């Protein structure tokens, strides 16, 4: 099972796009840990203008993963791309996520901190 981390914040529509693409294009099961950046000044400084950022177990990051070609290339490099799903998407077919994260984390509301909007 693949373990991935998504740096996000509440209400991030680009993060939702990335998650939908990931669910459609990732081959096999994965676990997605969502990290709320607004709860940490350090995370805000590092990811505030870059979210969504997807990170693999080796710490390699993907910016702009909501762009399908970028996510597909990143997944392919790791051997995690569902090639058939990617071909259908490239041909203009709408994809429904076949499988989601094996153990989804519940979205958490920031504890009185700032929101990125």
């Amino acid at each position: 099972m693949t373990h991935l981390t998504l740096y996000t914040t509440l209400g991030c529509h680009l993060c939702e796009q990335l998650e939908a693409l990931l669910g459609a294009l990732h081959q096999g099961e994965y676990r997605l840990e969502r990290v709320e950046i607004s709860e940490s000044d350090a995370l805000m400084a590092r990811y505030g203008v870059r979210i969504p950022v997807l990170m693999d177990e080796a710490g390699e990051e993907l910016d702009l993963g909501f762009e399908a070609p970028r996510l597909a290339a990143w997944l392919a490099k790791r051997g995690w791309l569902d090639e058939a799903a990617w071909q259908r998407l490239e041909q203009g077919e709408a994809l429904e996520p076949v499988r989601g994260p094996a153990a989804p984390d519940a979205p958490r509301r920031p504890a009185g901190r700032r929101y990125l909007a």
Side-chain angles (χ1 to χ4, degrees):
M1 179 183 314
T2 307
H3 297 273
L4 301 168
T5 302
L6 176 63
Y7 291 93
T8 185
T9 196
L10 189 64
C12 174
H13 71 284
L14 297 176
C15 301
E16 292 170 7
Q17 283 181 282
L18 183 142
E19 286 191 58
L21 279 172
L22 183 63
L25 296 178
H26 189 284
Q27 181 177 346
E29 291 187 9
Y30 63 94
R31 180 173 184 272
L32 183 65
E33 176 187 356
R34 293 166 189 86
V35 176
E36 173 60 57
I37 68 166
S38 70
E39 295 178 357
S40 162
D41 289 337
L43 291 176
M44 284 292 295
R46 183 170 180 177
Y47 297 110
V49 296
R50 295 175 49 209
I51 62 168
V53 175
L54 190 62
M55 180 186 294
D56 67 13
E57 294 172 285
E60 293 186 38
E61 297 178 349
L62 170 67
D63 291 353
L64 305 176
F66 56 87
E67 294 177 357
R70 291 179 60 83
L71 178 60
W74 193 80
L75 292 172
K77 180 179 176 183
R78 290 156 180 78
W80 302 334
L81 179 63
D82 181 333
E83 294 285 347
W86 175 234
Q87 288 175 358
R88 288 191 304 274
L89 184 64
E90 283 187 303
Q91 293 171 0
E93 291 182 34
L95 293 179
E96 293 292 323
V98 177
R99 65 209 154 266
D105 296 335
R108 297 182 311 142
R109 184 172 295 277
R113 303 281 311 247
R114 59 191 162 253
Y115 291 87
L116 301 178

